[in-house]
Amino acid sequence: MKEYAAGMTWGEGPRWQRGALWLSDTQGGKLWTDHDGPWRGIPLDAIPNGLWFLPDGRLVGAMMHQRRIGVWTGEQFDTYADLSAVATGPLGDMVGDPHGNLYVDDVGFAAHAGEPLRPGRLLRVAADGAVHVAAEDVEFPNGLAFAGDGRTLVVAETTRQRLTAFTVADDGALTDRRTYADLAHLIGDDVRPDGIWSTQDGVWVATTTGHAVALVRENELVTSIGTGTLLPIACCSDGGNRLFVTLADTHGLPLGEAMATKAVDTTVALLEVPKAGDTS
């Protein structure tokens, strides 16, 4: 692994756009990017979790504690969509489709604050700003990605240790809920899936306490790359064979204790992974 960038506390939602990397530091209160040159963190009063780029190129963020989607102005996240009427807890990851629809985690409880686990939901923000509950009873919804031809939405259910898939209907509704990959069975009991990223080869999963990033297809483990003592949080590709992975170092502390005391540091590792059909 090659280290790409450092300086974060907890790096979520990495996204690659027009030659630059962007990510949220949910515990450090910053938006990180090298969009305008050197790698730097921009301090924020309102903290995004999941990030996505709209079809018109604008950056949007799931504002973790404000129950809204924000749009980046270059200095702050102005309101793009208000989710306060439907969201029940902090917002998590986010993904969008080519039509401008956004899907975002309503986590349902604040894990970092020690709140007890309760079911979350997936919310859909239509291109016109209308907000819909897309799926109920999703346990600790985390990473989100469109798989295959874009008609399958995959969500990481962290505490259920699995990826769950839905078929996306023409109107954006989610149907046909099913298990996409039982990660505890495929990888191991320590797996707690966080961020995911879909490629033509399958779905990459950052397993946090599983200490690996793994490529899976439906009920199949394709490959797994160990991360040693570091905990992989989230990942994204640049559209080619480079995979960016945020890695947390808890300095030997249990994850919960390290998060509570912010005794954790995040770097971004750059992995070279083969593309489909590449046997070299």
Side-chain angles (χ1 to χ4, degrees):
M1 292 187 184
K2 176 183 176 182
E3 184 178 288
Y4 177 83
M8 296 76 67
T9 303
W10 188 260
E12 290 277 10
R15 299 291 183 252
W16 180 262
Q17 175 80 346
R18 297 177 181 173
L21 185 66
W22 301 75
L23 64 82
S24 300
D25 187 348
T26 58
Q27 302 303 309
K30 295 179 180 179
L31 175 71
W32 286 82
T33 184
D34 58 353
H35 170 69
D36 52 0
W39 183 246
R40 68 187 184 103
I42 305 167
L44 299 173
D45 293 329
I47 307 169
N49 195 333
L51 300 174
W52 196 254
F53 285 90
L54 296 171
D56 62 10
R58 288 181 295 168
L59 174 67
V60 287
M63 310 311 291
M64 189 163 57
H65 303 302
Q66 296 186 321
R67 302 182 185 183
R68 66 183 177 96
I69 305 299
V71 59
W72 181 241
T73 67
E75 296 180 350
Q76 63 186 13
F77 281 93
D78 287 348
T79 297
Y80 175 79
D82 184 354
L83 277 57
S84 60
V86 294
T88 62
L91 300 183
D93 206 355
M94 183 166 59
V95 71
D97 67 18
H99 308 292
N101 297 298
L102 297 170
Y103 293 82
V104 61
D105 300 324
D106 172 6
V107 180
F109 74 108
H112 64 281
E115 292 184 3
L117 176 69
R118 58 179 177 265
R121 304 186 292 177
L122 299 183
L123 307 178
R124 176 170 61 90
V125 181
D128 63 2
V131 181
H132 309 268
V133 177
E136 299 272 11
D137 189 29
V138 187
E139 192 170 295
F140 202 153
N142 220 316
L144 288 164
F146 287 102
D149 60 1
R151 299 306 295 268
T152 298
L153 181 67
V154 178
V155 58
E157 291 190 274
T158 298
T159 49
R160 285 178 173 157
Q161 298 178 286
R162 70 187 184 192
L163 301 185
T164 296
F166 298 86
T167 298
V168 183
D170 289 342
D171 63 357
L174 300 181
T175 64
D176 188 26
R177 184 193 305 232
R178 59 201 183 273
T179 297
Y180 183 87
D182 181 340
L183 300 174
H185 173 72
L186 292 175
I187 303 171
D189 291 339
D190 293 332
V191 167
R192 298 293 186 274
D194 192 333
I196 66 176
W197 188 263
S198 181
T199 71
Q200 59 183 326
D201 302 307
V203 177
W204 283 98
V205 184
T207 67
T208 58
T209 50
H211 296 277
V213 284
L215 180 65
V216 300
R217 300 192 187 108
E218 290 199 52
N219 299 309
E220 175 190 359
L221 174 63
V222 179
T223 190
S224 180
I225 302 171
T227 58
T229 61
L230 303 179
L231 281 60
I233 304 167
C235 56
C236 75
S237 82
D238 64 353
N241 66 337
R242 298 194 303 171
L243 188 72
F244 298 93
V245 184
T246 57
L247 297 171
D249 185 352
T250 64
H251 306 287
L253 294 175
L255 178 57
E257 181 181 345
M259 291 285 282
T261 60
K262 295 190 177 180
V264 58
D265 299 296
T266 296
T267 57
V268 181
L270 180 57
L271 307 182
E272 300 285 341
V273 295
K275 297 178 69 173
D278 182 2
T279 59
S280 59

